[in-house]
Amino acid sequence: MLTTWIDDLSQKVPLSRQPQDLQAYGRDWTRVYVPRPSAVVFPRHPEEVCEVLRFCSERGIAVVPSGGRTGLSAGAVAAEGELVLSLERLRHLGEVDPLGLTLTVGAGITNQEVHQHSEKIGLTWPIDLASKGSCQVGGNLATNAGGIRVIRYGHARQWVTGLQVALIDGTLLKLGTAVQKDNVGPDLRQLMIGSEGILGVITQATLRLTIMPRECQVMFLAVDNIDRGLELLSHARLQGRLQLQAFEFVAQNCLEAVMKVQDRACPFAQIPPAAVLIEVEGRLDNELEQWMEQVMSQGLVRDGVLARSSTERASLWAYRDNITESLGSLGLMHKNDIAVEVGRLGEFVHTLLSEVAPHYPGQMYLFGHLGDGNLHINVMKPSAMDPETFWEGCQRADQLLYELLRNLNGSVSAEHGIGLLKKAALSFSRGPHEVDTVRRVKKALDPQGLLNPGKVFDL
Ligand code: FAD
Ligand code: MLT
Ligand code: ZN
């Protein structure tokens, strides 16, 4: 009997063709494409990753790098018979360096494991997102993840000193170390971060850590609309002089979705049109309470809750953290993840609601990272509508959304990346010369176009 390349590869690394593995590892959190990988491999160390890639390169086999599969742009989808390269067994978890504040981990360590490991000595990796239990460091860096603390700390790319990356020809690159200051020519490490698995496979990273704030306070404040939320942001910074850790927006229907799915009571006396969840550094003192009273007496805030214990803090955060899962369990969602400069967000939302929203074939649900000018625009499929009609209607309305963003110099993907799902949007935020330059880099590193083919752009 003839042996296939899959038999050959299975002699070198753990490999699965079990139908449930092909289903589970052939997709991410999106549910738009049907997973159809040829097999899934589970290399156990960086050298095995290189061996797999060299094998694929020699035989012309397409490969999809796969992390925790929580991605929201279908970047880790294998719908065309590709080989899935799961990084989940790269589980090296180093010691925290208490002097240099760094930590070296394998790509398959989850975001939450990094947090738990660092917190033992009062440190944190400040990349914090609701998917933290499942998403992996490799995936966080491949997507340059944002999350709820970007307002204070920035994106993932600011919290890495060193990266180990395998190229499709099997070369293992060591890009940077634990050294903080290192200006030796162009920085390939930063090129790899955010490249969504199309340029190389991240096998290991040295993360930069920071000191956890001693104390943080969490407030959930009911507001009339997004404009009031933006006024509150300015007030918090300039009058309140608050050091913000998070400043998140939740529209009424998102709050209602979490209350319904999770069977949670309304945190306010009555359900408000919108709410803002704020986390600030520092102690719970008179000044903070006075600030809350001030914004309420000025009519900026209708009602508010201030957490008085860690349990209360977690329970307020649950209204924000569970939006994605709650909406997902209520129906099929079409998702956009946009950003404009925060000073133009009010203008953006007004045009969105008056001129764009009516063209979408379902109800719009808005939430997101207000302090960063980043909103998640979700549209739910009406139950009576068939999915094809829904997707087509959404795609038509998206053109209006992307035009609006182009006019405002906004971003069509603030934190989730482009993957397969947002390819049609790319040209609204990136010019042809820029895309072509990245395409030339891609061709130089991966001349056969085998690494995560079809993602971000077509060659
Ligand atoms: P995957 O989904 O497995 O892959 C994502 C992309 O990275 C794919 O293109 C894949 O090919 C590539 N990739 C994965 N691992 C590697 C590797 N080791 N080397 C090279 N390429 C690789 N994102 C945010 O930015 N902010 C948020 O606040 C946020 N909140 C979320 C909340 C929920 C409930 C969910 C479900 C998702 C959320 N996300 C958020 C999206 C997602 O969690 C992030 O994009 C995350 O960084 C993806 O990590 P992952 O390990 O799941 O990657
Ligand atoms: C979030 O901030 O919760 C996310 O990025 C997830 C989403 O957009 O659904
Ligand atoms: Zn987000």
Side-chain angles (χ1 to χ4, degrees), residues 240-292:
R241 305 188 71 79
L242 303 179
Q243 179 61 270
L244 299 173
Q245 277 269 333
F247 198 95
E248 300 281 307
F249 179 77
V250 180
Q252 175 174 354
N253 54 6
C254 295
L255 178 62
E256 285 169 337
V258 177
M259 286 163 49
K260 180 174 174 188
V261 174
Q262 297 224 325
D263 198 18
R264 284 175 187 271
C266 179
F268 307 110
Q270 59 185 54
I271 299 180
V276 174
L277 192 141
I278 310 178
E279 183 164 322
V280 296
E281 277 175 53
R283 298 175 64 85
L284 181 57
D285 56 17
N286 287 342
E287 266 182 51
L288 190 60
E289 294 192 33
Q290 276 165 12
W291 179 78
M292 253 186 89

Side-chain angles (χ1 to χ4, degrees), residues 346-397:
E347 177 189 349
F348 167 79
V349 171
H350 286 284
T351 316
L352 172 76
L353 296 180
S354 58
E355 292 174 23
V356 182
H359 295 271
Y360 277 106
Q363 198 189 348
M364 191 172 267
Y365 292 74
L366 291 180
F367 69 98
H369 316 287
L370 190 62
D372 309 326
N374 176 192
L375 278 186
H376 299 311
I377 303 172
N378 292 255
V379 177
M380 189 175 295
K381 184 182 85 59
S383 50
M385 192 179 283
D386 70 276
E388 273 310 304
T389 312
F390 176 67
W391 294 128
E392 280 166 21
C394 287
Q395 274 162 17
R396 276 195 300 276

Side-chain angles (χ1 to χ4, degrees), residues 9-16 40-44 48 52 84 89:
L9 191 56
S10 67
Q11 302 300 310
K12 298 173 190 288
V13 279
L15 179 148
S16 171
V40 189
V41 279
F42 300 93
R44 291 156 294 194
E48 274 188 356
V52 172
V84 173
R89 295 203 190 169

